[in-house]
Amino acid sequence: KQWYQRRVAITAGIYWRICWKFVSPILITVVLIASLVKMLIKAPMYPAFVGCEKFPVSDQFAGSENWVEKVPYPDWSRFIASIMVALPIIPIPVMAIKNWKKPVRPIVHPDEA
């Protein structure tokens, strides 16, 4: 019996087997790539205090009427954020590609051996 048959006492339909083996890993990979590309193409912005027009905080910013201006994050911080997003998710598509052709092995517990 398959591992899921022993756990829930039913046979998974073809829809679920296709989703587990093909659809889910492909969608996770697409979402990962799309989120990284979006983060690298369009710089995320943050509101920076720049001071008023008469008394700007620094020479780098001219100041504004509402004292705050949208400023892009520096490139190094975007690179670190991309790595932090990618590292925990990358093993999912890598293992899916590595085990693409392998059949699902049943889980054997010590008490069942």
Side-chain angles (χ1 to χ4, degrees):
K1 287 185 174 182
Q2 295 288 339
W3 64 271
Y4 53 83
Q5 288 174 325
R6 282 187 277 152
R7 297 287 171 233
V8 294
I10 60 170
T11 303
I14 188 75
Y15 170 79
W16 292 110
R17 287 183 282 177
I18 289 172
C19 285
W20 289 336
K21 185 137 182 154
F22 302 108
V23 176
S24 296
I26 289 170
L27 287 178
I28 289 171
T29 304
V30 168
V31 168
L32 169 67
I33 292 170
S35 66
L36 289 175
V37 166
K38 181 183 175 190
M39 185 188 301
L40 293 174
I41 289 178
K42 184 181 177 198
M45 310 283 268
Y46 68 96
F49 177 76
V50 294
C52 67
E53 293 172 343
K54 291 184 180 180
F55 303 106
V57 172
S58 70
D59 296 332
Q60 185 179 3
F61 301 107
S64 71
E65 188 175 308
N66 61 359
W67 297 41
V68 177
E69 204 173 275
K70 292 275 187 179
V71 179
Y73 283 98
D75 290 337
W76 63 267
S77 67
R78 291 173 42 203
F79 176 73
I80 291 174
S82 298
I83 290 174
M84 290 176 68
V85 167
L87 278 179
I89 300 172
I90 285 177
I92 297 170
V94 167
M95 292 308 290
I97 292 168
K98 179 182 172 192
N99 296 322
W100 192 266
K101 300 270 183 182
K102 292 181 183 177
V104 177
R105 293 183 300 146
I107 298 172
V108 177
H109 293 281
D111 57 351
E112 296 175 353

